[in-house]
Amino acid sequence: MSETNGHHYSALLERVYEVNDLRKAARVLSWDRETAMPQGGAADRTLQIATLHRVSHALYTSDETGALIEAAAGEINGAGYLSTQASLIRFLRRDYDQARRLPAEFVSKMATINGNAIAVWKEAKAKADFTLFAPCLEVLVDLASETAELLGYAEEPYDALLGRYELGVSTAQVDALFQAAKDALVPLYRAIGRRRMRVQDDLLRQHFPVDRQEQFSRYIAGAVGYDFNRGALATAVHPFSTSLSVNDVRITTRYNAFYLASSLFATLHEAGHAIYVQNVLPELNRTLLAKETSAGLDESQSRLVENMIGRSRGFWRAHYPALQRLFPEQLGDAPLESFYRAVNRVHPGFIRVEADELTYHMHVILRFEIERMLLNGELSVAEVPAAWNARMKAYLGIVPPSDDLGCLQDIHWAMVGFGYFPTYSLGSLYAAQFYEAAVSRVPGLHDELAQGEIDSLLGWLRENVHCFGRMLTPEEIALRATGRPLDHHAFVRYVSAKFGEIYDL
Amino acid sequence: MSETNGHHYSALLERVYEVNDLRKAARVLSWDRETAMPQGGAADRTLQIATLHRVSHALYTSDETGALIEAAAGEINGAGYLSTQASLIRFLRRDYDQARRLPAEFVSKMATINGNAIAVWKEAKAKADFTLFAPCLEVLVDLASETAELLGYAEEPYDALLGRYELGVSTAQVDALFQAAKDALVPLYRAIGRRRMRVQDDLLRQHFPVDRQEQFSRYIAGAVGYDFNRGALATAVHPFSTSLSVNDVRITTRYNAFYLASSLFATLHEAGHAIYVQNVLPELNRTLLAKETSAGLDESQSRLVENMIGRSRGFWRAHYPALQRLFPEQLGDAPLESFYRAVNRVHPGFIRVEADELTYHMHVILRFEIERMLLNGELSVAEVPAAWNARMKAYLGIVPPSDDLGCLQDIHWAMVGFGYFPTYSLGSLYAAQFYEAAVSRVPGLHDELAQGEIDSLLGWLRENVHCFGRMLTPEEIALRATGRPLDHHAFVRYVSAKFGEIYDL
């Protein structure tokens, strides 16, 4: 994939590098804000990040960039589909066009409204008072509609919003996938509910000193393939991963001294995100292609590491002894099987980010349904709490006692992030499909995984998913890696088998 | 100082804010590099910082910025000399003109040469082989000459280089000050040499666990007025302070488990830098004026806090008990007076950054003399080691056994930082002059300081030095605060009295 670059293509690369560096700088500023910044720096930091975004957006969406793309495109005829050159031009033509559809003033208006909305949302959540947030949410829905109109869509406004995070997937497709998943998951979840006493997680709810949890977080991140020479682990209230370059992809986690699962699975989840970007082809560095190709693909890698590896019996067969050595008083007497069941306990709750592997998707599906209705004018803002609670009742059998535990719990709407939620569940569907494909295509992999040996799996993911970055669309990657477009079957098979066994259904 | 801003002035402010934000972003990236970045991120980080500098330089030096300055200037007639508006215009007219004199291609060439030179210098230093660095140094001297020609100067090229860091001070002035200081310091140092056995520092050279040193660093930084709500303390190989906004000014220190003075005085020194910027007038935030007005003034505040406060008997009268409580085994039996003497031990050494308060200036003066001769063509690069060693012999009576302990020890030349060294000593001269002025003007201050009470001193510094940022030039600040331009008298009086007493001369 190393080509000699023509004059125009080189000029385009310089532009792309510049845009990339400015965006990465904004990420460094965000990382620093979450991990090191003193309180006093908050207001100025918001302005600094806004300036970086404004400058990079202006540079990227300039007429000059468009001319550079087309001049370079004229120069690379004959470059193979999987060459960096052809991939970059393909990506830029699509992405530049999308970025141009949102005028600078609109982006700036959105940033202002969003800054204000976050403050209002925080207050409303703290007071558990939806009426405080409702007027704001009206504006946010309008803004989302306006965004959809500017971006354009085929069937309904939600397509445009979804497309920002998951290229090539339509609302109708998501809806069909989610209906099918729901049809399988709700009965499964009900069956588990009747046998819920089989699995307890008390052993995770003891005192686990934070310094040793941190030690284990480093160990376990390394064990799933996270490269600390090109990464770092810090603490943050809301764990995240961030790529400051292909060679500097960092993760954060959080520690709860009285609940071990908190750091364990946050670390594994973020390590999964980070490993994806750490394994992008080195030659894509600084090109804008050195990134997860979609939010759904990104989430597929975090969920695969967190759940399919990190909550598997084989994995803990290999690593539970190390955990026991660190916490002999707490876990010395608990057998592997009890630990395995504890980390796979299914239990309904109000909060999405605390949900188990199974009920999690009910949280996502209800958000998708509500967002879509809001955008289609089928639901008014005032009706959101009732619609939310009715779905919680129908899908999980519980109703939040107040809206802070219900429709006010997530920051996404305040950030004008309509369309993002579905990608969380799409991630699990992709993950199961990739995992199943790997097991069927790599000889001996099933047995290796049963022993907690994951190198072959990671190698397969690297070659079939990670390395491409944004050279290929999520659809192209799924087709290439699994032989079929995304569907719900692998995921339903996976959860049915796993939880059927654990709960003896 | 709160004025209603006209249309043009507001537009200028927007531009200035943007330039400021981009520069601050570069600082965040540097801070992160020194405190958090994994090794793997180094190469990309260099490129990211270069991009930020290039973009901000282009924005700042554009014709448009010049037009904005002049349009705004036409609007603010009547604004007082100390108004933000008038001060900003005064500063920008001068600074914009200077920045325009260095074309983007030249700045870019400088960055490339400098990146390469640092690598060569590191190798030469590691191998203690000056001949490896010599060809590079030839290029660096040429580059410095070229810079001087582009910037322009009155008497000699070195004026231009010095002027980048210390506005309004000429090479001839520095030379006169340094000659006078040398005439006083060399005899003083010799007299001390004859009585050097009076002061030992063994008590600082015990095992001091790093976690408790860190605790004391936080305590002592707070004790000299550093505001942790608008700052943070981290560890770095080469301690530094950095302002990411007026409300986020951070410091780093280093810990040597077997030498307490290392963290103690690095922390105090960096806290001194940081306190300066933390006390700049809030309304200057984001304007480019919210910064130390010169390198010499900046250094005056770090040296004042490190030496005049941090190595004073009064200060340790107040804080030594807290240090003893943290290290009872190491210091419990050592009287205050022994500690006071230990931290004021005068001892010749090869390394500038490890030098004591007195011999430090000999290191600086010899660098200034060599730099100036190089720029004036009075010394060839090949002659540098001999010139260096001859001066070490003449001023301090010692000769480095190899060039890594001599002319290869500092990074400054590799960074094209010719002209910077003198500001270290100018800082001490300013510090003594400010300190003396404060004591003579604030009733009761002398007695307060003898008890380690520094609030009045800090208040005076805030009102007479810190608050102005770059509204005033260093010369204006010295005149306003002390009634006279910078001279060497206060410093000579201060060291003569202090060390005369300690060494019983």
Side-chain angles (χ1 to χ4, degrees):
Chain A
M1 294 196 196
S2 87
E3 307 96 354
T4 314
N5 293 326
H7 170 68
H8 292 304
Y9 186 81
S10 296
L12 173 64
L13 269 188
E14 284 309 313
R15 172 58 52 98
V16 161
Y17 289 160
E18 197 156 77
V19 170
N20 175 73
D21 288 350
L22 290 164
R23 290 186 187 170
K24 292 300 183 187
R27 284 192 170 217
V28 178
L29 268 61
S30 297
W31 159 273
D32 178 83
R33 178 183 59 198
E34 304 304 324
T35 61
M37 192 186 74
Q39 256 189 337
D44 288 331
R45 182 55 53 88
T46 303
L47 297 168
Q48 291 163 355
I49 292 175
T51 294
L52 288 173
H53 285 312
R54 199 174 53 247
V55 171
S56 67
H57 184 78
L59 196 64
Y60 187 49
T61 58
S62 66
D63 294 344
E64 204 189 333
T65 300
L68 285 167
I69 295 170
E70 291 316 314
E75 221 177 45
I76 62 146
N77 287 329
Y81 194 81
L82 275 179
S83 67
T84 306
Q85 294 185 336
S87 301
L88 183 59
I89 297 294
R90 246 181 1 254
F91 169 78
L92 287 175
R93 278 183 162 160
R94 197 171 59 224
D95 191 63
Y96 172 78
D97 171 64
Q98 285 285 299
R100 291 266 284 191
R101 293 184 185 213
L102 301 182
E105 314 82 66
F106 181 74
V107 172
S108 170
K109 182 177 86 174
M110 192 139 78
T112 310
I113 290 179
N114 146 12
N116 176 49
I118 288 173
V120 174
W121 165 74
K122 278 187 180 164
E123 195 197 341
K125 185 178 173 183
K127 295 185 174 163
D129 184 352
F130 181 77
T131 62
L132 288 177
F133 185 54
C136 215
L137 187 52
E138 304 266 12
V139 175
L140 293 161
V141 172
D142 287 348
L143 203 59
S145 295
E146 206 182 331
T147 306
E149 296 306 324
L150 287 166
L151 293 176
Y153 51 85
E155 301 286 331
E156 55 182 280
Y158 199 80
D159 285 340
L161 304 177
L162 185 61
R164 301 178 79 187
Y165 309 113
E166 204 61 33
L167 183 72
V169 176
S170 71
T171 309
Q173 273 175 282
V174 169
D175 189 51
L177 285 171
F178 283 4
Q179 287 303 331
K182 201 162 65 176
D183 289 347
L185 295 178
V186 170
L188 178 62
Y189 165 63
R190 291 211 179 116
I192 288 170
R194 289 187 289 272
R195 306 181 70 101
R196 68 168 55 118
M197 296 314 289
R198 277 182 63 86
V199 178
Q200 299 301 329
D201 69 351
D202 301 347
L203 69 93
L204 301 174
R205 300 178 187 278
Q206 307 178 66
H207 181 230
F208 294 91
V210 166
D211 58 335
R212 273 181 280 162
Q213 283 195 53
E214 194 181 336
Q215 214 178 310
F216 195 74
S217 274
R218 291 184 178 278
Y219 165 82
I220 207 76
V224 292
Y226 179 69
D227 179 358
F228 276 96
N229 290 321
R230 302 190 295 136
L233 171 67
T235 308
V237 181
H238 302 289
F240 62 97
S241 82
T242 186
S243 123
L244 311 177
S245 113
V246 163
N247 300 306
D248 184 1
V249 190
R250 305 191 196 166
I251 57 176
T252 58
T253 190
R254 60 175 154 200
Y255 302 99
N256 178 338
F258 296 94
Y259 185 48
L260 182 61
S262 192
S263 69
L264 218 48
F265 296 102
T267 301
L268 288 168
H269 184 95
E270 302 308 333
H273 282 303
I275 291 162
Y276 184 173
V277 182
Q278 284 189 330
N279 287 312
V280 165
L281 286 170
E283 58 261 43
L284 300 185
N285 194 18
R286 294 182 85 215
T287 64
L288 302 183
L289 296 180
K291 209 176 175 301
E292 63 283 357
T293 192
S294 72
L297 258 284
D298 193 22
E299 195 69 9
S300 80
Q301 299 310 297
S302 59
R303 299 207 155 252
L304 196 154
V305 169
E306 176 192 351
N307 293 329
M308 312 196 66
I309 293 175
R311 296 187 207 262
S312 74
R313 201 180 263 119
F315 185 73
W316 289 107
R317 187 169 287 142
H319 301 291
Y320 187 55
L323 186 63
Q324 285 181 305
R325 278 193 296 278
L326 264 178
F327 299 108
E329 283 177 42
Q330 298 88 338
L331 301 175
D333 295 333
L336 171 62
E337 190 59 23
S338 307
F339 181 80
Y340 171 65
R341 288 183 177 212
V343 301
N344 283 297
R345 179 173 182 245
V346 175
H347 192 78
F350 302 123
I351 304 298
R352 177 182 60 85
V353 296
E354 294 171 2
D356 57 75
E357 193 177 351
L358 197 55
T359 60
Y360 185 84
H361 301 287
M362 298 301 125
H363 292 272
V364 171
I365 292 170
L366 82 84
R367 282 157 176 77
F368 162 68
E369 291 169 346
I370 287 173
E371 283 190 342
R372 187 189 186 188
M373 289 190 295
L374 280 171
L375 265 293
N376 281 340
E378 296 160 11
L379 188 78
S380 72
V381 161
E383 294 166 321
V384 166
W388 185 288
N389 295 351
R391 279 172 175 73
M392 282 296 285
K393 177 78 183 158
Y395 302 159
L396 294 175
I398 56 175
V399 175
S402 54
D403 291 335
D404 55 331
L405 300 173
C407 61
L408 284 174
Q409 68 185 267
D410 292 303
I411 199 173
H412 299 57
W413 292 340
M415 295 182 74
V416 214
F418 296 88
Y420 196 91
F421 281 125
T423 69
Y424 290 130
S425 285
L426 295 180
S428 287
L429 305 192
Y430 279 122
Q433 196 164 321
F434 290 136
Y435 189 92
E436 206 176 72
V439 168
S440 79
R441 291 172 188 206
V442 180
L445 183 56
H446 182 271
D447 295 338
E448 288 178 26
L449 292 171
Q451 298 306 316
E453 293 165 20
I454 61 167
D455 286 357
S456 304
L457 175 61
L458 289 176
W460 188 89
L461 289 169
R462 196 161 45 235
E463 281 170 38
N464 290 280
V465 180
H466 302 167
C467 71
F468 300 114
R470 300 186 137 184
M471 294 174 81
L472 299 175
T473 66
E475 212 176 354
E476 288 173 322
I477 288 179
L479 267 174
R480 227 177 151 275
T482 74
R484 64 180 205 270
L486 177 67
D487 64 41
H488 64 289
H489 299 298
F491 180 70
V492 170
R493 276 193 289 269
Y494 159 71
V495 289
S496 302
K498 177 173 181 176
F499 293 100
E501 193 260 358
I502 291 174
Y503 282 93
D504 194 21
L505 301 177
Chain B
M1 292 195 196
S2 86
E3 307 96 355
T4 314
N5 294 326
H7 170 68
H8 292 304
Y9 185 81
S10 296
L12 173 64
L13 269 188
E14 283 310 312
R15 170 60 51 98
V16 160
Y17 289 160
E18 197 156 75
V19 170
N20 175 74
D21 287 351
L22 290 164
R23 289 186 187 169
K24 293 300 183 186
R27 285 193 168 215
V28 177
L29 267 61
S30 298
W31 158 274
D32 178 83
R33 177 182 61 199
E34 304 304 323
T35 60
M37 193 186 73
Q39 256 190 335
D44 288 332
R45 182 56 53 87
T46 302
L47 296 169
Q48 291 163 354
I49 292 174
T51 295
L52 288 173
H53 285 311
R54 199 172 55 248
V55 171
S56 67
H57 184 79
L59 196 65
Y60 186 49
T61 58
S62 66
D63 294 343
E64 203 189 335
T65 300
L68 284 168
I69 295 170
E70 292 315 315
E75 221 176 45
I76 62 144
N77 287 329
Y81 194 81
L82 276 179
S83 66
T84 306
Q85 294 184 336
S87 301
L88 183 60
I89 297 295
R90 252 187 348 262
F91 169 78
L92 286 175
R93 278 184 163 159
R94 197 169 60 223
D95 190 64
Y96 172 78
D97 172 64
Q98 285 285 298
R100 290 266 284 191
R101 292 183 185 213
L102 301 183
E105 313 84 66
F106 181 76
V107 172
S108 172
K109 182 177 87 175
M110 191 138 80
T112 310
I113 291 178
N114 148 11
N116 176 50
I118 288 173
V120 174
W121 165 74
K122 277 186 181 165
E123 196 196 341
K125 185 180 174 181
K127 295 184 174 163
D129 184 352
F130 181 76
T131 62
L132 289 177
F133 185 54
C136 216
L137 186 52
E138 303 266 11
V139 175
L140 293 162
V141 172
D142 286 349
L143 204 58
S145 294
E146 207 182 328
T147 306
E149 295 307 323
L150 288 167
L151 292 176
Y153 50 84
E155 301 286 332
E156 55 182 280
Y158 200 80
D159 285 340
L161 305 177
L162 185 62
R164 301 176 80 187
Y165 308 112
E166 204 60 32
L167 183 73
V169 177
S170 72
T171 309
Q173 274 176 281
V174 169
D175 189 51
L177 285 172
F178 282 5
Q179 287 303 331
K182 202 162 65 175
D183 289 348
L185 295 178
V186 170
L188 178 61
Y189 165 62
R190 292 209 178 116
I192 288 171
R194 290 187 289 272
R195 306 182 69 102
R196 68 169 55 119
M197 298 313 290
R198 278 182 61 86
V199 177
Q200 301 300 331
D201 69 351
D202 301 347
L203 70 92
L204 302 174
R205 300 178 187 279
Q206 308 178 66
H207 182 230
F208 294 92
V210 165
D211 58 336
R212 272 181 280 162
Q213 283 194 53
E214 195 182 335
Q215 215 179 311
F216 195 73
S217 274
R218 290 182 179 280
Y219 165 81
I220 207 77
V224 293
Y226 179 69
D227 178 359
F228 277 96
N229 290 321
R230 302 190 296 136
L233 171 68
T235 307
V237 181
H238 303 288
F240 63 96
S241 81
T242 187
S243 123
L244 310 178
S245 113
V246 163
N247 300 305
D248 184 0
V249 190
R250 304 192 194 166
I251 57 176
T252 59
T253 190
R254 60 176 154 200
Y255 301 99
N256 178 338
F258 297 94
Y259 185 47
L260 182 62
S262 193
S263 69
L264 218 48
F265 295 102
T267 302
L268 288 169
H269 184 95
E270 301 309 333
H273 282 303
I275 290 162
Y276 184 172
V277 182
Q278 284 189 330
N279 286 312
V280 164
L281 287 169
E283 57 260 44
L284 301 184
N285 194 19
R286 293 183 85 215
T287 63
L288 303 182
L289 296 180
K291 211 177 173 300
E292 62 284 355
T293 192
S294 72
L297 259 282
D298 193 22
E299 196 69 10
S300 79
Q301 298 310 297
S302 59
R303 300 207 154 252
L304 197 153
V305 169
E306 176 192 351
N307 293 329
M308 312 195 68
I309 293 176
R311 296 188 206 261
S312 74
R313 200 179 263 121
F315 184 72
W316 288 107
R317 187 169 287 143
H319 301 292
Y320 187 54
L323 186 64
Q324 285 181 305
R325 276 193 297 277
L326 263 178
F327 299 109
E329 283 177 41
Q330 297 87 338
L331 301 175
D333 295 333
L336 170 63
E337 191 59 24
S338 308
F339 182 80
Y340 171 65
R341 289 183 176 211
V343 299
N344 283 297
R345 180 174 180 242
V346 175
H347 193 76
F350 301 122
I351 304 299
R352 177 182 60 84
V353 297
E354 294 171 2
D356 58 74
E357 192 177 352
L358 197 55
T359 61
Y360 184 84
H361 301 288
M362 299 301 125
H363 292 272
V364 171
I365 291 170
L366 80 84
R367 282 158 175 78
F368 162 69
E369 290 170 347
I370 288 173
E371 284 191 342
R372 187 190 187 188
M373 289 190 295
L374 280 171
L375 266 293
N376 281 339
E378 296 160 12
L379 188 78
S380 73
V381 162
E383 295 167 322
V384 166
W388 185 288
N389 294 350
R391 278 172 175 72
M392 282 297 284
K393 177 78 185 157
Y395 303 160
L396 293 175
I398 57 175
V399 175
S402 55
D403 291 335
D404 55 331
L405 300 174
C407 62
L408 285 174
Q409 68 185 267
D410 291 303
I411 199 172
H412 299 58
W413 292 339
M415 295 181 74
V416 215
F418 296 87
Y420 196 91
F421 280 126
T423 68
Y424 289 130
S425 285
L426 295 181
S428 287
L429 305 194
Y430 279 121
Q433 196 164 319
F434 289 136
Y435 189 91
E436 205 175 73
V439 169
S440 79
R441 290 172 187 206
V442 180
L445 183 55
H446 182 272
D447 294 339
E448 287 178 26
L449 292 170
Q451 298 307 316
E453 293 164 20
I454 60 167
D455 286 357
S456 304
L457 176 61
L458 289 176
W460 189 89
L461 289 168
R462 196 160 47 236
E463 281 171 37
N464 290 280
V465 180
H466 302 166
C467 70
F468 299 115
R470 300 187 135 183
M471 294 174 82
L472 299 175
T473 66
E475 213 176 353
E476 288 174 320
I477 287 178
L479 268 173
R480 228 177 150 273
T482 73
R484 63 181 207 269
L486 178 66
D487 64 42
H488 64 289
H489 298 298
F491 180 69
V492 170
R493 276 193 289 270
Y494 159 70
V495 290
S496 302
K498 176 174 181 175
F499 293 100
E501 192 260 359
I502 291 174
Y503 282 93
D504 193 21
L505 302 178

